[in-house]
């Protein structure tokens, strides 16, 4: 059964809850397979730009592109809560426009939206919740900040910046977000921010103490051509398996071994005449 945002909000490990498991998906087969694997949430991440569209950053993605992928994921009807990332600049310029953009993702099949940033996002979070759209936060190494960070760098490495991150998380909680992704921070920060909140944290490169963990589909399955980040555990190496299957198909076609009689439609009586 699909977990609702209010149900997810209660999933604190310190209260005895099981850790939340979230994996990204960007299309129907991905969503179907990930759901069959027993995840609690599917994230239609703007990492689609990196792992599906071959881009270095997530900065060129539009709401229309995200909606297209959300619709494909929702088509799996997998009974899993779908979180849709709000693309860069879809919630930065104007609050009313942000609500319309989030609504487009909800109408495409998302159950909630995720956006990056802390105190500067208070107004937009409030407006989305006023429009009855559940919001997940995202703090730490927020990939949409790559230019101001000067690269994809671990964040909250000083006491001051760690305190700011925890304050940001508390402000987002006060505004009513139901969970927060914490990405790319020292484990001690992941641990402290989780302890400081009543809502669950979902970590990626934030150590073992968050209330859940998220990985990108292509990283988990060995489908990227980049060196995996430190925090990635690769559970399968499907890239070489796919290449091997395709090369066997190519060899069979070239040898005249494909298709065989069983793989072709029978000829109706009299067609040869
Ligand atoms: O877009 C994405 O996949 C994400 C995860 C890294 C949390 O935001």
């Amino acid at each position: 059964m699909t977990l609702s945002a209010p149900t997810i909000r209660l999933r604190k490990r310190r209260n005895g809850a099981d850790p939340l498991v979230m994996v990204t998906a960007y299309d129907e087969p991905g969503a179907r397979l990930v759901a069959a694997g027993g995840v609690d949430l599917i994230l239609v991440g703007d990492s689609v730009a990196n792992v599906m569209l071959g881009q270095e950053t997530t900065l060129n993605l539009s709401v229309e592109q995200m909606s297209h992928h959300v619709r494909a994921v929702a088509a799996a009807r997998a009974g899993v809560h779908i979180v849709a990332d709000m693309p860069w600049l879809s919630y930065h310029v104007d609050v009313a426009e942000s609500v319309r953009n989030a609504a487009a993702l909800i109408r495409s099949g998302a159950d909630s939206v995720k956006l990056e940033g802390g105190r500067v996002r208070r107004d937009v979070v409030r407006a989305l919740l006023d429009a009855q759209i559940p919001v997940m936060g995202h703090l730490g190494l927020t990939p949409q900040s790559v230019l101001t960070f000067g690269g994809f760098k671990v964040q909250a490495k000083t006491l001051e910046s760690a305190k700011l991150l925890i304050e940001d998380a508390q402000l987002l909680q006060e505004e009513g977000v139901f969970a927060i992704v914490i990405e790319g921070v020292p484990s001690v920060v992941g641990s402290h921010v989780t302890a400081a909140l009543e809502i669950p944290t979902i970590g990626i490169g934030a150590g073992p103490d968050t209330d859940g963990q998220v990985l990108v589909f292509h990283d988990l399955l060995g489908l990227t051509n980049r060196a995996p980040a430190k925090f990635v555990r690769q559970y399968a190496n499907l890239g070489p398996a796919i290449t091997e299957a395709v090369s066997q198909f190519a060899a069979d076609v070239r040898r005249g071994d494909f298709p065989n009689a069983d793989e072709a439609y029978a000829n109706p009586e009299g067609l040869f005449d």
Side-chain angles (χ1 to χ4, degrees):
M1 204 188 60
T2 307
L3 295 178
S4 67
T7 305
I8 295 166
R9 167 187 274 274
L10 300 174
R11 292 278 294 264
K12 265 326 249 186
R13 278 170 71 196
R14 68 164 175 253
N15 298 336
D18 284 338
L20 287 162
V21 179
M22 181 159 84
V23 175
T24 66
Y26 315 100
D27 56 17
E28 192 276 342
R32 185 163 32 82
L33 296 169
V34 155
V39 299
D40 297 304
L41 302 100
I42 291 175
L43 171 64
V44 189
D46 60 356
S47 52
V48 66
N50 311 120
V51 296
M52 298 281 286
L53 307 177
Q55 297 177 14
E56 290 294 320
T57 72
T58 54
L59 303 182
N60 284 303
L61 210 62
S62 65
V63 174
E64 289 68 30
Q65 283 173 301
M66 279 303 292
S67 295
H68 171 80
H69 287 280
V70 172
R71 272 194 298 274
V73 165
R77 291 181 182 78
V80 175
H81 186 107
I82 300 172
V83 186
D85 256 342
M86 294 196 71
W88 181 62
L89 227 57
S90 71
Y91 55 97
H92 303 67
V93 179
D94 175 72
V95 169
E97 187 193 19
S98 310
V99 175
R100 277 192 289 274
N101 287 334
L105 298 173
I106 296 292
R107 285 181 168 157
S108 299
D111 298 295
S112 61
V113 298
K114 173 165 83 59
L115 51 77
E116 298 182 5
R119 62 201 71 207
V120 290
R121 303 287 168 242
R122 290 184 79 167
D123 289 350
V124 74
V125 169
R126 196 171 305 150
L128 295 181
L129 286 162
D130 282 351
Q132 312 303 325
I133 298 174
V135 182
M136 179 181 282
H138 186 162
L139 295 172
L141 198 182
T142 44
Q144 295 174 8
S145 313
V146 59
L147 300 179
T148 48
F149 288 166
F152 296 102
K153 295 180 178 164
V154 176
Q155 298 297 304
K157 284 168 73 175
T158 63
L159 190 56
E160 198 188 339
S161 57
K163 280 183 181 163
L164 283 175
L165 184 144
I166 292 171
E167 272 172 30
D168 275 346
Q170 286 168 326
L171 290 172
L172 289 175
Q173 171 176 270
E174 269 169 36
E175 290 305 336
V177 306
F178 69 96
I180 305 181
V181 167
I182 308 291
E183 178 167 358
V185 298
S187 299
V188 67
V189 177
S191 166
H192 270 72
V193 67
T194 300
L197 297 178
E198 300 302 319
I199 57 170
T201 54
I202 302 180
I204 176 160
D209 294 330
T210 51
D211 295 300
Q213 297 287 336
V214 51
L215 279 180
V216 168
F217 182 91
H218 291 65
D219 290 337
L220 190 155
L221 296 172
L223 289 168
T224 62
N225 60 1
R226 307 167 291 172
K230 182 178 172 59
F231 56 77
V232 170
R233 188 179 294 175
Q234 194 181 297
Y235 286 87
N237 196 12
L238 299 189
I242 291 171
T243 302
E244 175 55 23
V246 173
S247 82
Q248 281 180 26
F249 169 60
D252 286 355
V253 171
R254 290 180 184 128
R255 265 200 316 270
D257 272 3
F258 178 89
N260 63 25
D262 291 342
E263 290 156 341
Y265 292 111
N267 295 313
E269 285 279 312
L271 194 63
F272 282 121
D273 301 345

